Amino acid sequence: MELDIRQIMDRLPHRYPMLLVDRVLELVPGKSIVAIKNVSMNEPFFTGHFPHMPVMPGVLIIEAMAQAAALFSFTDPEDPYAKVDNKLAYYLVGVDGARFRKPVMPGDQLRLEVVADRISRALCKYTGRALVDGQVVAEAKIMCAIRQLEE
């Protein structure tokens, strides 16, 4: 299954400048995702990171992986085009084994590949990696918590 930006925005609460997934190429509900983040010089973080040599911050690459994970974790296999429950919040709570292999720069297309290691009603664990031109630029184990929002 593929998702365009409107379908992504139906599923994630993030908006500019924090929405870090532009397109979903492959999605297997509850199992895995392949998504794209197009890295542009217009990104606000490039103003200060670093003006003489713009590099995408590693923490934002990890955040992009977590957002991609949220997209497939909450997708209903029975109705993959349904909107997610807005009464739930999805928080990044842990990162293990993060490695940054190469800098990500304006003009790069970041390919986000995330696989579920464990998904439960309260805690989810994933293995993610980010690639540019087929080369791994970052990888990490990430953990996310699902919490009920108070009304």
Side-chain angles (χ1 to χ4, degrees):
M1 172 170 70
E2 295 184 17
L3 300 174
D4 64 24
I5 191 64
R6 288 168 304 183
Q7 294 166 313
I8 292 167
M9 290 174 69
D10 282 345
R11 290 164 173 75
L12 291 179
H14 306 79
R15 295 296 179 263
Y16 178 83
M18 286 307 298
L19 180 60
L20 299 174
V21 179
D22 293 321
R23 176 168 291 283
V24 172
L25 303 177
E26 301 170 23
L27 184 149
V28 180
K31 304 253 189 254
S32 65
I33 192 167
V34 176
I36 296 296
K37 163 67 177 147
N38 293 306
V39 182
S40 164
M41 187 58 193
N42 295 327
E43 310 278 356
F45 50 80
F46 284 135
T47 304
H49 196 265
F50 300 99
H52 63 287
M53 174 77 160
V55 175
M56 184 175 186
V59 295
L60 293 180
I61 297 170
I62 300 292
E63 173 67 21
M65 285 191 264
Q67 289 180 21
L71 285 167
F72 78 81
S73 299
F74 289 117
T75 302
D76 181 356
E78 301 299 317
D79 186 4
Y81 294 99
K83 291 184 181 182
V84 296
D85 183 352
N86 288 330
K87 295 184 176 107
L88 294 177
Y90 189 78
Y91 297 106
L92 178 62
V93 296
V95 178
D96 290 320
R99 296 289 179 263
F100 303 98
R101 309 275 181 217
K102 297 181 105 178
V104 176
M105 306 175 85
D108 286 344
Q109 186 175 70
L110 201 57
R111 179 182 170 99
L112 307 164
E113 299 178 352
V114 183
V115 175
D117 296 330
R118 188 179 123 227
I119 295 180
S120 73
R121 295 172 60 111
L123 198 64
C124 305
K125 293 184 178 185
Y126 309 94
T127 300
R129 63 187 202 152
L131 300 93
V132 172
D133 295 329
Q135 294 190 319
V136 175
V137 295
E139 56 195 339
K141 296 272 190 182
I142 56 179
M143 187 170 26
C144 298
I146 302 166
R147 299 287 183 258
Q148 188 75 31
L149 292 175
E150 294 180 23
E151 297 192 32

